Amino acid sequence: MLNKTKKSILIIENDENILNNLFKRFQNVGLFPITAKDGYEGYMRACSEKPDFIISESLLPSMTGFRLSRLLKYDERYKSIPLILLSENDFEISNNIFSSCGAGKILKKPFKFSQLLESIGLTTA
């Protein structure tokens, strides 16, 4: 089970390089990273681990980040967890989907790590 002395962050990303990079960067700022490589695994980890924050790619195998967000944000048990989506898509195309999924924010790839920290309400000193 999760070490609750540190805040935890669930990173759901199917690109192994991005996943590993984010894992290390979040670990370096004092968060406890939890990882998943597809939407279904991410949903199951979110439900079992109840992380403090969730970062998810929007286009994932087995369940999109939009669907994952909708399932979590409309469930009383998880709706308070800040959830940020990452996308390579044009915002004009995904804006309608994003507005109905309940996520707090969507960041376009590539992004700066500082933007990601700011999006979940954290800053580095």
Side-chain angles (χ1 to χ4, degrees), residues 8-80:
S8 60
I9 185 161
L10 174 58
I11 309 160
I12 310 165
E13 173 63 64
N14 61 330
D15 182 314
E16 187 119 7
N17 291 327
I18 294 172
L19 183 67
N20 291 334
N21 184 305
L22 289 175
F23 181 94
K24 290 174 189 169
R25 306 249 352 232
F26 281 119
Q27 199 171 41
N28 287 342
V29 296
L31 293 174
F32 182 82
I34 305 162
T35 62
K37 293 183 181 177
D38 68 52
Y40 179 75
E41 180 187 4
Y43 178 73
M44 296 308 290
R45 299 284 317 255
C47 292
S48 66
E49 303 284 344
K50 294 185 182 157
D52 296 295
F53 308 102
I54 300 172
I55 305 294
S56 177
E57 164 64 45
S58 62
L59 299 175
L60 293 165
S62 76
M63 181 189 303
T64 68
F66 296 111
R67 175 85 175 130
L68 169 86
S69 176
R70 190 163 176 79
L71 287 171
L72 293 172
K73 298 312 271 184
Y74 291 95
D75 186 320
E76 288 294 321
R77 297 170 293 177
Y78 313 109
K79 73 178 188 178
S80 64

